[in-house]
Amino acid sequence: MSFRDDVASFLATTPRPEGLHDYGPTPASSDVAAGRRWQRTLAEHGYACLHWPREHGGSDASVADQAAFAEECARAGVPRQLSMVGPDLVGPVLMGFGSRTQQDLHLPRIRDGRDLWCQLFSEPGAGSDLAAVTTRAIRQPDGSWRIRGQKVWTSAADSADLGLLLARSGGPGPGGLSVFVVPMANQGITVRPLRQMDGESKFNEVFLDDVVLHADQVVGTPGAGWQVAKATLGRERLSLGANAVGMFESIAELETAAAEHGRLDDSLRDEIVKAWIRVWLMRVTWERAIEEETDPSGATFSVLKLLTSETYRDIADLGGAALGPAALEEEQPLVKRMLVGHAQTILGGTSEIQRTILAERILGLPRAPR
Ligand SMILES: Cc1cc2nc3c(=O)[nH]c(=O)nc-3n(C[C@H](O)[C@H](O)[C@H](O)COP(=O)(O)OP(=O)(O)OC[C@H]3O[C@@H](n4cnc5c(N)ncnc54)[C@H](O)[C@@H]3O)c2cc1C
């Protein structure tokens, strides 16, 4: 039996936690309980963190197997993991920069879903320009740190156990930054959910008022935060790029909805075929990128993220044509997808920023004014 057959049979026969559905890269608070149980099930059957090296509990899975797993999960309507932040961002970053103690403490708990992580990077005045973060990390005489500041757009912060925090421990610019592991239950942390236009509250404001962190909660060395942050963002682009492999399912759903609403005419058929070709090309590009590009902060993954998020948005927008006037009347998943589709071109670095990276680092065009 091929790996894909194994996965399909596992997904067809394994009982699912009640309420589990394919909620995307990060869970809403109402999805967390089912998502945690699902992650534990994946770990028990050897399907958690397939891309991690074996020494850290992964499978060293080939690109083809990772794609097959993601596709089969999308087909079965389940998430491929609890959240992308722990398995795709924090895990690899701790393997690259974390201490042995941090790795031993956190990696097993990410793998089996005991810990849900959030990414505390963006601030009201620092999103695209992350090097401008102003949240302060002030070193105390006993070596501990006090954290003061505000983060925003933090997905899953209201349910997360731990956060990966980017803060300013030194002077201005990238050289003054450090990255910390923050237990979200610590005193001084206030999380306020933000309501989105689709009715969900997946992201939050996070206020940090004199939060105390120990010296061993720095990831890497103090002042090396920019390298850690860049590696995290590269991983995020790679992970979001991987969503390409689940998009065939979205196209199939679109076609079914259009047929049900009597709207599958030649013009919509053409659009669906074009979308299918785009997704197919992205899937090939994704496979090539993760085989050829070893540096996760490489520009290749920016191109992949750009292609994936814009294709996701365009497929989501076709929902309007598939549903017609029913899009105004019905509370249904295609409408929700239309509303969240545009967020894809913002999260993990906006399309404008990815185009600048593509222009400067791949095409070699003159640098954009800073
Ligand atoms: C659904 C969602 C989930 C998110 N989850 C998280 C999370 O968990 N953790 C986290 O830390 N952040 C998260 N974010 C925040 C995300 O990373 C930021 O929104 C993003 O980096 C853009 O930053 P900004 O919102 O501050 O916009 P800005 O940086 O203020 O940009 C505003 C506009 O100006 C454009 N722009 C800015 N600079 C340039 C430039 N140099 N050249 C050309 N155009 C430019 C941008 O492209 C954009 O169109 C999330 C965002 C979304 C939408």
Side-chain angles (χ1 to χ4, degrees):
M1 207 152 72
S2 70
F3 176 77
R4 185 184 286 276
D5 293 338
D6 280 342
V7 174
S9 136
F10 158 74
L11 292 171
T13 55
T14 306
R16 296 178 191 179
E18 204 183 315
L20 185 76
H21 68 110
D22 189 359
Y23 48 69
T26 50
S29 50
S30 54
D31 297 320
V32 170
R36 279 187 202 271
R37 285 203 294 279
W38 182 237
Q39 182 74 29
R40 195 171 63 222
T41 304
L42 294 176
E44 284 164 2
H45 290 81
Y47 291 119
C49 304
L50 288 175
H51 54 299
W52 287 12
R54 284 187 197 282
E55 60 166 310
H56 291 300
S59 303
D60 259 329
S62 68
V63 174
D65 284 355
Q66 291 179 52
F69 183 71
E71 278 170 354
E72 292 305 317
C73 285
R75 206 190 313 275
V78 295
R80 65 185 172 90
Q81 54 199 2
L82 165 60
S83 150
M84 79 167 184
V85 179
D88 290 353
L89 277 52
V90 178
V93 161
L94 288 181
M95 289 172 212
F97 298 91
S99 64
R100 189 77 221 182
T101 311
Q102 287 170 340
Q103 293 173 359
D104 291 345
L105 181 64
H106 298 302
L107 296 180
R109 298 179 65 90
I110 291 174
R111 191 178 163 274
D112 66 14
R114 268 174 292 168
D115 285 342
L116 173 67
W117 282 72
C118 64
Q119 182 191 4
L120 295 159
F121 280 21
S122 304
E123 296 182 359
S128 300
D129 183 13
L130 256 190
V133 299
T134 58
T135 292
R136 293 288 309 171
I138 305 151
R139 198 159 207 170
Q140 305 301 299
D142 64 358
S144 66
W145 298 84
R146 269 181 192 269
I147 313 292
R148 283 181 208 147
Q150 187 200 334
K151 296 289 169 177
V152 73
W153 315 127
T154 317
S155 303
D158 53 348
S159 312
D161 305 287
L162 293 157
L164 192 72
L165 170 81
L166 182 65
R168 186 159 301 287
S169 55
L177 296 169
S178 299
V179 166
F180 299 86
V181 172
V182 181
M184 294 300 286
N186 265 19
Q187 215 169 1
I189 298 182
T190 309
V191 177
R192 200 184 291 161
L194 292 163
R195 196 168 159 79
Q196 301 152 210
M197 68 176 168
D198 63 353
E200 288 196 333
S201 289
K202 275 196 174 177
F203 47 44
N204 305 267
E205 293 177 298
V206 178
F207 299 89
L208 302 125
D209 295 315
D210 277 332
V211 176
V212 177
L213 297 179
H214 303 299
D216 61 5
Q217 285 169 314
V218 177
V219 179
T221 48
W226 190 238
Q227 283 72 40
V228 183
K230 275 202 311 191
T232 312
L233 295 176
R235 288 278 162 193
E236 188 173 15
R237 285 166 196 162
L238 165 60
S239 176
L240 292 167
N243 292 342
V245 295
M247 277 190 221
F248 289 117
E249 205 49 37
S250 310
I251 295 178
E253 283 164 20
L254 194 70
E255 195 178 347
T256 306
E260 275 170 14
H261 288 83
R263 299 184 58 86
L264 196 54
D265 58 14
D266 283 350
S267 137
L268 185 54
R269 253 185 245 278
D270 279 353
E271 293 302 321
I272 288 176
V273 170
K274 276 190 229 158
W276 193 89
I277 293 169
R278 269 172 85 175
V279 174
W280 187 255
L281 291 174
M282 266 182 341
R283 187 183 187 283
V284 175
T285 309
W286 176 74
E287 287 183 356
R288 207 182 53 208
I290 60 174
E291 254 164 18
E292 288 175 5
E293 176 68 89
T294 47
D295 173 11
S297 55
T300 310
F301 297 125
S302 292
V303 179
L304 196 61
K305 196 270 165 182
L306 176 67
L307 288 174
T308 309
S309 55
E310 299 209 334
T311 304
Y312 185 102
R313 176 202 58 198
D314 294 345
I315 292 174
D317 279 350
L318 284 178
L323 295 173
L328 299 174
E329 294 157 15
E330 288 180 22
E331 166 69 25
Q332 62 124 312
L334 285 194
V335 174
K336 216 161 200 180
R337 195 174 290 155
M338 265 193 278
L339 293 176
V340 299
H342 289 254
Q344 304 295 315
T345 63
I346 301 172
L347 63 94
T350 66
S351 287
E352 289 78 12
I353 297 298
Q354 308 317 316
R355 283 202 170 84
T356 301
I357 294 173
L358 164 65
E360 292 177 353
R361 289 172 53 191
I362 294 187
L363 301 178
L365 297 176
R367 275 170 68 82
R370 294 291 195 276

